[in-house]
């Protein structure tokens, strides 16, 4: 898996500097397997297990590891597939790419650990239309980023 190769190449230098960020984007399929995607579901679950283990091993060296697991977002690919129906989504809306990007930027920043609980180093974050809209809504995130900067 490429995520293992990337971490193998990058993490030793991060540990030596006593600071670094690994942000991997997997899929909500880690928690809710998607039909007909058996190989993808399996590979992503394995990658997430690797990342969680790595996070525990390097947290003491100032390196954080986050696995972001997007659900349905209003992207060009989702539009091409014609899969924009919000039925079955608790919040009733698709996630927005800019909200996902804001969270990725935050967990990559110094502020993710300097002003937030240290547990951010071992997180597997499901960024779905329901959790993002109800728990990690863009207003919440933008306010945290405004305060942090």
């Amino acid at each position: 898996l490429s995520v293992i190769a990337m971490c193998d190449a990058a993490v030793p230098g991060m540990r030596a500097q006593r600071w670094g960020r690994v942000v991997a984007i997997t899929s909500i399929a880690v928690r809710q397997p998607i039909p007909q995607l058996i190989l993808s579901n399996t590979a992503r679950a394995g990658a997430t297990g690797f990342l969680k283990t790595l996070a525990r091993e390097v947290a003491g060296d100032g390196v954080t590891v986050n696995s972001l697991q997007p659900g349905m977002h209003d992207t060009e690919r989702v539009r091409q597939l014609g899969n924009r129906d919000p039925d079955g989504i608790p919040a009733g809306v698709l996630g927005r790419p800019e909200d996902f990007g804001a969270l990725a930027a935050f967990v990559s920043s110094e502020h993710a650990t300097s002003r937030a609980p240290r547990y951010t180093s071992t997180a597997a974050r499901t960024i779905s239309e329901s959790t993002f809209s109800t728990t990690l809504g863009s207003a919440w995130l933008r306010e945290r980023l405004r305060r942090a900067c």
Side-chain angles (χ1 to χ4, degrees):
L1 294 171
S2 60
V3 69
I4 294 171
M6 183 274 305
C7 290
D8 188 48
V11 170
M14 293 178 189
R15 291 179 95 174
Q17 295 179 119
R18 310 235 1 111
W19 192 91
R21 300 290 182 259
V22 174
V23 179
I25 301 170
T26 60
S27 169
I28 197 160
V30 168
R31 297 178 190 263
Q32 302 169 338
I34 299 170
Q36 285 99 34
L37 294 179
I38 191 167
L39 296 177
S40 178
N41 293 337
T42 303
R44 291 173 195 275
T48 299
F50 165 79
L51 292 162
K52 184 164 178 93
T53 302
L54 179 64
R56 291 176 180 270
E57 291 178 4
V58 301
D61 295 325
V63 178
T64 64
V65 179
N66 285 275
S67 171
L68 304 184
Q69 303 164 355
M72 292 292 291
H73 281 69
D74 188 15
T75 62
E76 184 176 326
R77 179 70 173 146
V78 169
R79 282 185 236 109
Q80 286 173 348
L81 296 172
N83 200 10
R84 296 179 64 198
D85 186 4
D87 285 349
I89 298 172
V93 296
L94 296 177
R96 298 181 313 173
E98 59 268 26
D99 295 331
F100 181 85
L103 183 61
F106 177 74
V107 299
S108 299
S109 74
E110 178 69 33
H111 305 293
T113 54
S114 66
R115 297 190 185 196
R118 296 284 301 172
Y119 65 77
T120 57
S121 66
T122 59
R125 302 175 191 291
T126 302
I127 312 304
S128 71
E129 49 291 324
S130 60
T131 55
F132 202 86
S133 297
T134 59
T135 306
L136 297 174
S138 60
W140 176 88
L141 183 58
R142 286 192 182 103
E143 177 61 19
R144 294 307 177 278
L145 288 171
R146 185 190 66 73
R147 287 182 191 171
C149 298

